[in-house]
Amino acid sequence: MSEATFILAAAMTVDACFGEPRWLWSRVPHPVVLAGRMISRCEQRWRPSSSPRWGGMLTLILLLLVSVGSGWLLSYGGIVIEIAIVSFLIAQRSLVDHVAAVASALRLSVAEGRWVVARIVGRDTSQMDAASIARAAIESAAENLSDAVIAPAFWFLLAGLPGIVAYKFVNTADSMIGHHSDRYLEFGWATARFDDLMNFVPARLTALLVLISSWSLDRWRSLRHDAVKHKSPNAGWPEAAVAQVLGVALSGPRQYDGKHQDFPFVFAQGVKDIGANEIKAAVALLWKTWWTLLAILLMMTLIFSLLW
C-alpha cells in the first residue's frame, strides 16, 4: 500500500508541475482519445440495432475488458511507467488552467467569458450573463475535481492501474453517450448507471476533502441537504461543498439544447451576483483540496513504510 500511495503522490505532483505533455499527445493518441474512438465504433455498430440497450451493455463490457486488461499489462512496466500513466490520467493542472481562463476572459468582456466557458460546459452559453458564466465555471470546477482528480486517485488506490484506466474509460463513455437524450436514452443507459456507481464514493469523498481543506467540517450536515437538490446523484456533493465554502449559489436555471431548464439552486442562500473573483476563489479551493489530498497520501506512505 505504501508503494501505491507513493506512486499516486508522485503522479499528482508530476501532473501539477507539468500538466498535459502536448509534445507527446501530438505524436501518439491520449488513452482517453483511444477510448473515444472505441466508443464511437461501438455506437456506429450497435446503437442503430433493434436492441440499443443491449448494444450499450455490450459496449460497457468491452470497455471494461479492454481497460482492465490494458491496465494489468501496463502494471508490469515498473514504477516509473506507472507514475507516468497515472499522471496522464489525473487532470488537476488542466482543470485549473481551464477554469482560470474563464476568469481572465470574463474580466475582458461577457462575450469573451461566454466563448471560453463554452469549452468546459455542455450547456447553451449564448445568452449567459456574467453571473451565469461564473456559476458554470465554478460548477465545472467542482464536478471535475471529483471526476478528473479524486475519482481517478480513488480507483488507483483501490485497484491499481486496471482500476484507474477502467474508470477513465467508463467516465469518457458517460460523457459521450450517457446523456439523457432521445439519441442515447437506451444505448447509453448501462454506461450512465455504471458511471454513477463508480463515482458514488469519490463524489462524497471530494465533498469531504473540500470541507477538510477549508476547516469547514461543521458544514457536512447542511451540505448533505443541498447535495440531494442536484439533478445528478453524485455531482451535487462536490458542488454543494464548493458552494458552501465559497458562499455562492450554484446550479439553478439554465439552457440545454435550446430549452429552459428550471433547476433549483444548490445553497440557494449563497451570493448569486458573482463574477471573476469568485472563479479565482474556486481555483484557489481546487489547489487547497489538492494539497490536502497530497498531504494525506504522504502521511499514509510514511505510516505504511514504518509499519511494514
Side-chain angles (χ1 to χ4, degrees), residues 139-151:
E139 289 164 21
S140 180
E143 185 173 352
N144 283 291
L145 175 61
S146 179
D147 288 359
V149 182
I150 307 302

Side-chain angles (χ1 to χ4, degrees), residues 30-191:
H30 191 284
V32 171
V33 173
L34 293 175
R37 292 175 183 173
M38 182 177 169
I39 295 159
S40 295
R41 290 180 182 177
C42 289
E43 180 189 353
Q44 292 168 9
R45 180 166 185 175
W46 289 323
R47 187 182 62 80
S49 69
S50 58
S51 301
R53 180 168 290 200
W54 282 106
M57 291 180 183
L58 286 172
T59 299
L60 175 61
I61 291 169
L62 185 60
L63 284 172
L64 290 173
L65 289 173
V66 171
S67 59
V68 170
S70 299
W72 177 73
L73 288 173
L74 290 168
S75 65
Y76 286 94
I79 192 170
V80 174
I81 296 297
E82 203 159 351
I83 290 171
I85 292 169
V86 175
S87 72
F88 297 156
L89 300 178
I90 289 178
Q92 170 78 9
R93 181 63 178 270
S94 176
L95 170 61
V96 167
D97 289 348
H98 280 89
V99 175
V102 180
S104 299
L106 189 55
R107 285 198 170 99
L108 295 175
S109 69
V110 170
E112 285 287 328
R114 288 172 183 162
W115 184 73
V116 175
V117 81
R119 299 175 182 173
I120 60 173
V121 299
R123 71 195 72 167
D124 181 7
T125 63
S126 61
Q127 302 302 316
M128 281 185 174
D129 59 12
S132 297
I133 293 168
R135 270 197 298 276
I138 296 171
E139 289 164 21
S140 180
E143 185 173 352
N144 283 291
L145 175 61
S146 179
D147 288 359
V149 182
I150 307 302
F154 172 83
W155 282 103
F156 175 74
L157 288 179
L158 192 67
L161 282 185
I164 190 174
V165 176
Y167 173 78
K168 292 301 290 188
F169 271 49
V170 171
N171 193 244
T172 301
D174 181 64
S175 68
M176 293 177 64
I177 62 175
H179 304 291
H180 295 293
S181 63
D182 292 340
R183 179 184 178 93
Y184 296 120
L185 188 62
E186 293 295 320
F187 183 71
W189 175 85
T191 295

